[in-house]
Amino acid sequence: MRVPLSWLKEFVPLDCTGDELAAHLTGLGLEVEQVLRPGGAARGLVVGRVVTASRHPDADELWVCEVDVGEKRLTVVTGADNAQAGTWVVAAPPGSRLPDSTELGTRSLRGIDSEGMLCATWELGWPSVARTEAERMAEGLFLLPVAEGLRPGQDALPLLGLDEEVLVLSLTPNYAVHCQSIFGVAREVAALLELSLHQPGLDGSFGTGAGAGLPVAAGPSGAVAGDQFAVDKARPAERWAAVTVEAPDLCPRYVAHIVTGITVGPSPLLIQRRLQACGMRPINNIVDITNYVLLETGQPLHAFDLDNLADRRIIVRRARPDEKIVTLDGVTRTLTDTELVIADGAAAQAVAGVMGGAGSEVGADTSTILLEAAAFDRETVFRTSRRLGIRTEASIRFDKGVDPAGVWTSGLRAATMITRLAGGALAVGCLDVGAAPEPRAIHMRPARLRRLLRPDRLPRGLPADLVGDPVDGPPAGGTDFDPNGGPEPDLSDPAILTYLLRLGFAATRSGAETYRVKVPSYRADVAGEADLAEEVGRLMGYDRLPALLPVGPLVGGARTTRQQGLLTVRRAMAAVGYDEVVTWSFAHPNLAGRLRLPADHDQHRALAVANPMSEDQARLRTTLLGGLLDTAAYNVRHQNEELALFEVGTVYRPGVAELPEEEPRLGILARGRRRRGYWQGAGKERDFFAVKGVLEHVARRLSAQLTAAPIELPFLQPGQAAQLVHADQPVGWLGSLHPDVADGWDLPGGILVAELSLAPILARGQVVPRYKPLPRFPAVQRDVSIIVPADVAVAQITAIVRATAGELLESIALFDVYTGDQVAAGSRSLAFALRYRSAERTLTDAEVDAVHNGVREALARQAGATLR
Amino acid sequence: MGEGAEGAEQIQAIADEVAAAQAEALTRVSAGADTEALEEIRLHYLGRRGVLGLILRGLGRLPAPLRPEAGGIANAARTAVAAAIGQRTEMLADRERQLRWQAEAIDVTMPGRPVDHGRRHPLWIVLEQIEDIFLSMGYEIAQGPEVEFDYYNFEALNYPPDHPARDMQDSFYINDKVLLRTHTSPVQIRYMQAKAPNLPVRIIAPGRVFRRDDDATHSPMFHQIEGLLVDRQVSLADLKGTLLTFVRRLFGSDTRIRLRPSYFPFTEPSAELDATCPLCHGDGCRTCGHSGWLELLGCGMVHPNVLRNGGYDPEHVSGFAFGMGLERITMVKFGIDDLRLLFQNNLRFLRQLD
């Protein structure tokens, strides 16, 4: 929301700059995003009167104007069609400067020298309401309304409000009801700074506060508006029209004023420029006044052309199913029967609280209006405005709730302003259905407010040596916080009551230590003692509270087994040279296809996001592989080709429950060499066994053991794929990425990928290893070298060896593998080192030979091995 | 006496022979070029069949009374030659070692062999620091689902239905009841419901959250750390002290804070915490928008309705809660100026920070 400072000053006698005010408001909880100075660098802009305007002899789209700027006349060429003789314009003569710093000079346009330029609305630095270039062009020049005292050559800056400061507020929803208006902000400022507050006049007066200072009273056709508003006592409102509220649950209050005999025209400059400063476009005096009062009081208003309302009736009712209405923006809207409309005797004329209808819009020939001020059900407006995708200045206020006590006063204020500025007379009385609800009352215990803000248990603030990091020395005190110093805030009963009173709350004693606090009608957000504590706190300033530490039993904080396990995995992976990445939880719907995932893979039934921002984010991942491949592809594109990546992340597995199973996994992607380009030579190319070793290492860090068995997975290269098994359960896979999948990501060959479910492995937690006595007797080493068919797995051979050798075998290690010239095709040569040891005695050669020969025979018999 | 004279002659002859051999040996030793040559000289003079050895063995032919004297002469020569060889050998060995070392000298300025060391992601580095700070203050780490019921994400946290407060967090929905949580605050409810009526509740809840927002400063997926403390006597002043302690541990002991009133449906009173910018120490820089202050986190006293929904009676207990964005704190901590870097995983970026 935007707040022009001069407008604010009409209600509160402020004496500070925009920046100072911004600091005050931010301290109250009304965050100020920025302070705009619409005038920017503007200099030397003057009021001009167009004396003559003629077509440019050489260009149909241009006009040549003679403009009276006081001491002289300028010849100015312009493209705008509304620069007609007799109009008053803003001229930027040579040497002047526009708000955006453009310096004006004299330049030739199709052979005619143009002395500076005439200004369009958007060129004057107001927040533009035109969204497109075409809209900007259509606006044409900014025309000054004719007014008394306007003279050529006059300084245009104050007249245009270009010496104004405008605060841009970013309001949280709780402050919307009472602060989403100029007057609401003024009320807050008055409470904080203890200043007097002037109410918006119910007699239609405006622009009277400090800082107004420009001709405001320009009515249509130069007529000066009356000092008094006119009342038609002959025909009271109820004889002009009738109001029926058929849905009182959705419309607790509806007030209609009737103004007759009006003349529609432009509104006074002050109103126009304030609307523009607030980001609204001036339309005509009637619409502008409803918007002006809306911005001023926060109460949305709507003017209907009474002559276009069938039967001169207003019926507030639920829409009929599929009822159609053409809204002011020219779009045909279809409504549902839970939505509220303002209808006449025949059809819907407005979507209540959201947007008016085209059928009863105020136009140039409107002479009688019905001015609506109402309170609509907040939730209904919220839902309707979102369903229709319409957000208007009215709907953003209604959907947060308006001040029910402001309905009638705002309506009356707008009606009286209209009679002053558009002529006509206000029909005496009004059509008023419903009533403002009783104000809420809160049972308040000041002791409880104190307990929420600052307990009495310690006399002073936190000791300085508890606050600072002892390594870095004691904390530096400051003006913003001093742990031991500063006056303690006064939170006595009288102090609390005074704070509340300043904010409009009325308190009466209701018991020894309790009060009944009446909440102002505009504070729907305040419902309990906690809210009152906030009111006191924010007015007092949170910075005045001391900093304490909570009192309670000493409890040691520690990570759970699972949390510690996940941390162990991350640290172990980094320790063995893998870089940690963080990838998206989202996945593209075609991920399962791109990855060639098997038909039973979770990703085929991955959870779908109903309203994703892009297709890339339309599913939730059930594997970490997609994110790792994206990361690899990104890095390869950016010339990082040696990759050792891991992610510990969550996958979302759809199941039978309403929420998916969220499972932590370790994903790995590796390719290339370590230390590539190092002068002593790079490390070995990462291969299947490099990654397998890393996985085995991580599992050991968690006191778990992984085994691998061959498997076929469509996204892994056949013959280089393994299933990972833990405690007889499959827990993941490892292998070389299938070249077709790699191609899909534009990745080079030689990529290893793996994924491991961590939950089953973390379940046990890290087991503390138990000490075993060191061996007392020497080991005997025997090697065995065999040639076996290529399809005999090493795991089979070690199993045979272990089974045959029995308990004397301490260890077996594969130390050589050979295929080639010396070995027949389809076979391979394997060499193992076997260590034999007894815990009771030194083994003799004869003993070892007996066992070892048994091993050799078993290998020949059971594995078809040829012994070498 | 003839015998005596003959004996003297014989001794003299041996002495001369020995002296000649010794002189010759010493000359050769001093000319010996390397340890190998000296070994040859040693064998030649001192070996079993060497010159001095033969002389010694020849003494056997002398009459017995002469042998001790002649033996003394020969042994003295032997010792002298051995000593000279020893000295010379040592000198040469030393020189040879020097030469070898000269040849083996390396360029110590050449780069060392890179150690295989992976980098932790900056988000997790900072998260671990934050966790450790709160663990040291006696907090536990709690977790909740990222795909969450609307009830826990909004309703139980006191969000009115169909209220613009929900617009503060535009959500990704799975269906009418289930969404991607927009903040870590639902963990407050889940934890309290599991723990009530026991006290104290003292947790932080880090985790992944999602909002329909994607621009230079917003990512549809990001991370938050929630904090919740519920006990018999908890006040806004306690929250202030807790956060001050936290911020000083994280950014340094000269950090100052300020609380500004704000709004969250699940806290009342609510506040935003600003901290002096750790990059410029409050002087104003690009990161803090030249204000010297950084908006760091939202916080407040747990709303009575939220306590009730968690299973606690707000008449008897109170609590504070806070929530911070991990990305923001990480960016401040490392001076990162572009949020997207955190999710691009460019290895050149990751390797700068750990």
Side-chain angles (χ1 to χ4, degrees):
Chain A
M1 192 184 68
R2 294 167 187 269
V3 179
L5 215 56
S6 72
W7 200 349
L8 194 67
K9 286 176 178 172
E10 283 190 20
F11 305 112
V12 63
L14 262 183
D15 185 21
C16 64
T17 65
D19 287 327
E20 288 163 357
L21 181 62
H24 285 313
L25 290 177
T26 299
L28 272 175
L30 280 68
E31 192 180 335
V32 178
E33 273 178 4
Q34 59 180 140
V35 180
L36 294 177
R37 290 169 184 86
R43 189 181 68 189
L45 305 185
V46 295
V47 172
R49 196 173 61 84
V50 180
V51 182
T52 62
S54 52
R55 286 280 181 201
H56 192 295
D58 298 321
D60 279 352
E61 73 277 18
L62 294 179
W63 295 86
V64 182
C65 303
E66 289 295 315
V67 183
D68 178 2
V69 291
E71 66 253 39
K72 61 175 178 166
R73 284 189 178 187
L74 301 175
T75 302
V76 189
V77 180
T78 177
D81 290 329
N82 60 346
Q84 298 307 318
T87 54
W88 291 77
V89 295
V90 178
S96 67
R97 202 159 61 189
L98 295 181
D100 68 358
S101 300
T102 306
E103 299 265 0
L104 275 302
T106 299
R107 68 180 181 127
S108 171
L109 282 169
R110 295 287 184 95
I112 295 182
D113 282 345
S114 178
E115 298 170 88
M117 64 182 277
L118 305 180
C119 298
T121 305
W122 62 273
E123 285 161 337
L124 291 172
W126 281 315
S128 180
V129 287
R131 283 171 299 272
T132 62
E133 191 61 32
E135 278 184 13
R136 281 182 168 187
M137 293 307 293
E139 277 185 358
L141 294 184
F142 178 75
L143 300 185
L144 288 160
V146 183
E148 215 174 298
L150 210 57
R151 53 180 177 78
Q154 186 178 348
D155 184 356
L157 292 182
L159 201 58
L160 297 167
L162 291 182
D163 52 355
E164 175 83 295
E165 287 183 303
V166 179
L167 270 57
V168 183
L169 302 191
S170 166
L171 288 177
T172 53
N174 59 323
Y175 293 149
V177 180
H178 66 292
C179 294
Q180 210 160 34
S181 64
I182 308 294
F183 178 71
V185 173
R187 194 162 49 202
E188 288 277 306
V189 174
L192 178 72
L193 303 178
E194 300 184 75
L195 299 172
S196 59
L197 182 68
H198 311 288
Q199 301 282 336
L202 293 184
D203 59 353
S205 59
F206 70 101
T208 51
L214 61 148
V216 293
S221 323
V224 176
D227 292 337
Q228 297 289 314
F229 63 92
V231 178
D232 177 359
K233 291 179 180 157
R235 190 174 170 189
E238 61 264 27
R239 285 181 51 204
W240 282 98
V243 171
T244 313
V245 176
E246 292 180 358
D249 53 330
L250 302 186
C251 176
R253 185 90 188 265
Y254 195 100
V255 176
H257 287 93
I258 311 291
V259 186
T260 61
I262 57 157
T263 309
V264 175
S267 51
L269 191 53
L270 173 74
I271 289 184
Q272 290 198 24
R273 81 150 165 82
R274 282 185 174 171
L275 292 181
Q276 278 168 323
C278 291
M280 292 186 91
R281 191 200 319 229
I283 294 170
N284 59 45
N285 48 7
I286 307 301
V287 174
D288 290 355
I289 289 167
T290 61
N291 284 333
Y292 186 88
V293 175
L294 157 80
L295 293 171
E296 192 177 70
T297 66
Q299 170 64 47
L301 302 165
H302 186 67
F304 295 95
D305 184 334
L306 186 59
D307 295 326
N308 287 336
L309 289 179
D311 308 336
R312 296 191 164 228
R313 282 180 66 86
I314 287 288
I315 304 165
V316 184
R317 60 167 169 82
R318 286 182 166 78
R320 312 200 193 294
D322 296 323
E323 184 166 3
K324 303 260 192 303
I325 179 174
V326 180
T327 42
L328 282 174
D329 52 6
V331 180
T332 303
R333 314 276 179 173
T334 307
L335 303 173
T336 74
D337 58 2
T338 58
E339 291 167 333
L340 191 68
V341 296
I342 313 301
D344 60 11
Q349 293 297 340
V351 182
V354 179
M355 194 179 264
S360 53
E361 188 181 356
V362 171
D365 52 359
T366 298
S367 69
T368 307
I369 58 163
L370 181 147
L371 183 66
E372 162 194 294
F376 297 118
D377 176 59
R378 188 187 65 65
E379 292 176 26
T380 305
V381 175
F382 180 89
R383 277 195 307 270
T384 306
S385 108
R386 269 151 193 77
R387 193 185 65 78
L388 297 178
I390 308 177
R391 305 199 68 177
T392 57
E393 291 289 339
S395 77
I396 64 172
R397 286 173 174 79
F398 276 125
D399 71 12
K400 295 171 189 117
V402 296
D403 176 8
V407 173
W408 179 78
T409 50
S410 301
L412 180 58
R413 169 157 173 75
T416 50
M417 267 180 82
I418 287 170
T419 65
R420 282 181 179 235
L421 299 174
L426 172 64
V428 71
C430 63
L431 303 160
D432 187 353
V433 181
E438 273 298 299
R440 192 200 306 258
I442 297 174
H443 176 72
M444 179 186 75
R445 294 158 291 178
R448 189 159 166 73
L449 264 57
R450 280 191 287 276
R451 230 167 69 207
L452 278 174
L453 293 172
R454 184 254 191 273
D456 296 326
R457 62 171 190 267
L458 282 177
R460 304 294 292 170
L462 192 65
D465 56 350
L466 282 187
V467 177
D469 187 336
V471 178
D472 298 344
T479 51
D480 303 284
F481 171 70
D482 183 352
N484 273 318
E488 282 280 322
D490 181 4
L491 283 172
S492 63
D493 285 14
I496 286 176
L497 295 181
T498 306
Y499 282 128
L500 292 176
L501 190 65
R502 275 162 63 185
L503 285 165
F505 295 82
T508 49
R509 190 180 274 275
S510 60
E513 289 176 2
T514 61
Y515 293 84
R516 196 182 127 86
V517 177
K518 246 170 78 181
V519 179
S521 61
Y522 46 85
R523 294 304 303 272
D525 59 312
V526 175
E529 284 173 315
D531 302 299
L532 293 177
E534 174 165 285
E535 293 304 304
V536 171
R538 73 187 182 100
L539 202 58
M540 175 184 82
Y542 289 153
D543 284 330
R544 295 192 50 204
L545 285 176
L548 307 177
L549 281 180
V551 169
L554 279 176
V555 197
R559 290 187 172 87
T560 61
T561 299
R562 186 185 165 109
Q563 288 160 357
Q564 187 57 51
L566 288 170
L567 193 54
T568 300
V569 172
R570 295 189 151 117
R571 287 179 177 165
M573 286 303 297
V576 296
Y578 281 68
D579 294 325
E580 183 172 34
V581 300
V582 172
T583 72
W584 299 97
S585 292
F586 300 112
H588 194 284
N590 71 10
L591 179 67
R594 279 180 89 194
L595 281 177
R596 299 162 44 108
L597 293 174
D600 62 349
H601 194 280
D602 288 331
Q603 193 67 45
H604 285 290
R605 348 173 256 124
L607 235 51
V609 177
N611 56 341
M613 295 185 76
S614 68
E615 272 300 274
D616 280 353
Q617 302 175 353
R619 297 285 182 279
L620 292 185
R621 66 180 176 189
T622 67
T623 172
L624 302 179
L625 183 55
L628 286 171
L629 290 174
D630 290 340
T631 303
Y634 176 88
N635 275 290
V636 167
R637 279 201 306 277
H638 289 81
Q639 297 179 300
N640 302 320
E641 281 157 7
E642 313 301 320
L643 304 169
L645 312 175
F646 80 97
E647 175 170 25
V648 172
T650 306
V651 301
Y652 311 82
R653 302 180 57 201
V656 286
E658 285 177 284
L659 298 184
E661 187 193 336
E662 295 184 15
E663 197 200 291
R665 290 205 180 154
L666 166 64
I668 295 180
L669 184 147
R671 82 167 288 278
R673 294 173 189 278
R674 293 153 20 182
R675 301 193 295 274
R676 176 175 292 284
Y678 184 60
W679 61 272
Q680 288 184 320
K684 252 180 102 102
E685 189 93 29
R686 290 189 184 87
D687 63 4
F688 180 94
F689 297 102
V691 177
K692 188 182 178 195
V694 165
L695 282 163
E696 286 167 344
H697 169 75
V698 169
R700 266 199 307 278
R701 303 302 308 146
L702 297 166
S703 312
Q705 208 175 359
L706 287 181
T707 55
I711 192 176
E712 275 188 35
L713 287 170
F715 54 95
L716 296 179
Q717 181 178 322
Q720 295 199 4
Q723 181 171 63
L724 300 169
V725 178
H726 169 261
D728 296 328
Q729 293 297 314
V731 289
W733 46 261
L734 153 69
S736 298
L737 186 66
H738 196 291
D740 292 351
V741 177
D743 283 349
W745 265 265
D746 278 332
L747 282 168
I751 290 184
L752 284 309
V753 286
E755 187 162 284
L756 181 62
S757 289
L758 292 171
I761 294 167
L762 294 171
R764 263 176 78 211
Q766 203 165 3
V767 178
V768 179
R770 292 299 294 267
Y771 156 79
K772 276 186 235 122
L774 296 175
R776 291 166 57 205
F777 301 99
V780 178
Q781 180 154 333
R782 292 276 195 278
D783 293 348
V784 60
S785 186
I786 55 175
I787 294 172
V788 285
D791 61 353
V792 175
V794 167
Q796 281 170 265
I797 292 169
T798 54
I800 293 169
V801 171
R802 281 185 209 281
T804 315
E807 59 183 14
L808 287 186
L809 181 72
E810 184 180 71
S811 67
I812 171 169
L814 174 69
F815 72 86
D816 189 45
V817 180
Y818 176 79
T819 52
D821 292 345
Q822 320 288 315
V823 179
S827 295
R828 57 179 176 161
S829 161
L830 302 172
F832 296 90
L834 280 64
R835 281 169 82 84
Y836 296 97
R837 196 198 297 270
S838 162
E840 283 103 39
R841 62 189 186 281
T842 301
L843 295 176
T844 64
D845 278 353
E847 264 179 307
V848 173
D849 286 345
V851 177
H852 193 66
N853 286 335
V855 166
R856 292 166 62 89
E857 279 162 30
L859 288 176
R861 207 171 49 245
Q862 296 175 37
T866 308
L867 294 151
R868 303 179 72 184
Chain B
M1 251 357 259
E3 204 180 37
E6 192 185 334
E9 257 167 54
Q10 283 176 318
I11 294 288
Q12 189 56 53
I14 286 168
D16 290 347
E17 193 185 352
V18 166
Q22 179 178 347
E24 184 191 78
L26 291 178
T27 309
R28 284 186 60 187
V29 166
S30 59
D34 51 29
T35 49
E36 224 168 280
L38 286 172
E39 179 63 11
E40 221 170 87
I41 294 169
R42 193 184 66 78
L43 285 173
H44 182 77
Y45 291 98
L46 305 180
R48 270 164 54 83
R49 304 216 151 271
V51 176
L52 287 167
L54 287 176
I55 291 174
L56 262 170
R57 212 174 306 167
L59 295 184
R61 291 190 305 267
L62 283 180
L66 295 182
R67 286 180 203 162
E69 194 183 350
I73 290 166
N75 270 327
R78 233 180 114 86
T79 306
V81 172
I85 290 175
Q87 244 173 3
R88 178 83 182 157
T89 305
E90 205 174 301
M91 192 269 278
L92 284 176
D94 204 47
R95 188 190 292 164
E96 279 166 27
R97 220 152 56 134
Q98 298 291 344
L99 286 171
R100 199 167 65 238
W101 286 350
Q102 221 161 31
E104 287 174 1
I106 55 171
D107 175 358
V108 298
T109 67
M110 288 163 83
R113 192 176 307 155
V115 160
D116 250 354
H117 149 71
R119 276 73 173 179
R120 298 292 310 283
H121 194 280
L123 285 175
W124 296 156
I125 294 172
V126 173
L127 176 59
E128 244 185 87
Q129 287 176 6
I130 293 173
E131 286 182 352
D132 287 341
I133 292 171
F134 283 105
L135 287 170
S136 77
M137 291 200 271
Y139 285 68
E140 288 173 53
I141 301 172
Q143 261 138 353
E146 295 167 27
V147 183
E148 183 56 284
F149 289 111
D150 183 274
Y151 169 79
Y152 286 107
N153 196 77
F154 288 126
E155 238 178 284
L157 288 168
N158 199 40
Y159 278 79
D162 291 325
H163 191 273
R166 291 194 177 209
D167 289 356
M168 292 163 80
Q169 304 177 4
D170 198 358
S171 324
F172 289 107
Y173 277 91
I174 301 293
N175 57 45
D176 287 348
K177 279 170 67 184
V178 178
L179 45 67
L180 304 188
R181 68 174 176 190
T182 57
H183 46 186
T184 42
S185 308
V187 183
Q188 289 189 23
I189 302 287
R190 284 181 174 271
Y191 188 89
M192 282 193 284
Q193 287 181 351
K195 173 114 180 178
N198 297 309
L199 291 171
V201 171
R202 203 180 318 190
I203 55 162
I204 56 164
R208 190 166 274 200
V209 300
F210 305 85
R211 290 184 198 173
R212 296 189 81 251
D213 243 342
D214 199 357
D215 57 40
T217 55
H218 294 91
S219 164
M221 177 192 94
F222 58 104
H223 300 82
Q224 278 190 339
I225 301 141
E226 191 84 4
L228 174 70
L229 187 145
V230 178
D231 210 341
R232 288 192 202 289
Q233 207 193 50
V234 183
S235 73
L236 195 58
D238 294 315
L239 172 62
K240 197 169 165 179
T242 299
L243 293 177
L244 180 67
T245 307
F246 162 69
V247 166
R248 287 190 169 172
R249 290 265 181 90
L250 191 67
F251 289 131
S253 58
D254 59 345
T255 310
R256 286 173 296 137
I257 58 167
R258 69 178 185 198
L259 284 179
R260 276 186 290 113
S262 188
Y263 170 72
F264 307 101
F266 43 98
T267 51
E268 188 75 36
S270 303
E272 293 272 354
L273 179 102
D274 296 341
T276 44
C277 175
L279 300 176
C280 62
H281 301 279
D283 295 340
C285 65
R286 240 183 53 175
T287 299
C288 58
H290 304 284
S291 71
W293 290 98
L294 281 172
E295 194 175 312
L296 214 57
L297 55 83
C299 58
M301 301 303 294
V302 182
H303 196 285
N305 292 347
V306 174
L307 286 173
R308 253 178 239 122
N309 291 338
Y312 290 94
D313 180 356
E315 281 296 311
H316 297 114
V317 304
S318 54
F320 63 64
F322 53 87
M324 61 190 104
L326 179 58
E327 280 74 7
R328 168 140 183 90
I329 291 177
T330 303
M331 289 172 76
V332 170
K333 187 98 185 154
F334 292 111
I336 299 167
D337 58 3
D338 185 350
L339 172 67
R340 286 168 302 186
L341 285 167
L342 291 172
F343 300 112
Q344 268 166 355
N345 298 301
N346 189 321
L347 297 181
R348 271 176 242 283
F349 166 76
L350 297 178
R351 285 171 185 170
Q352 288 178 7
L353 302 179
D354 182 16

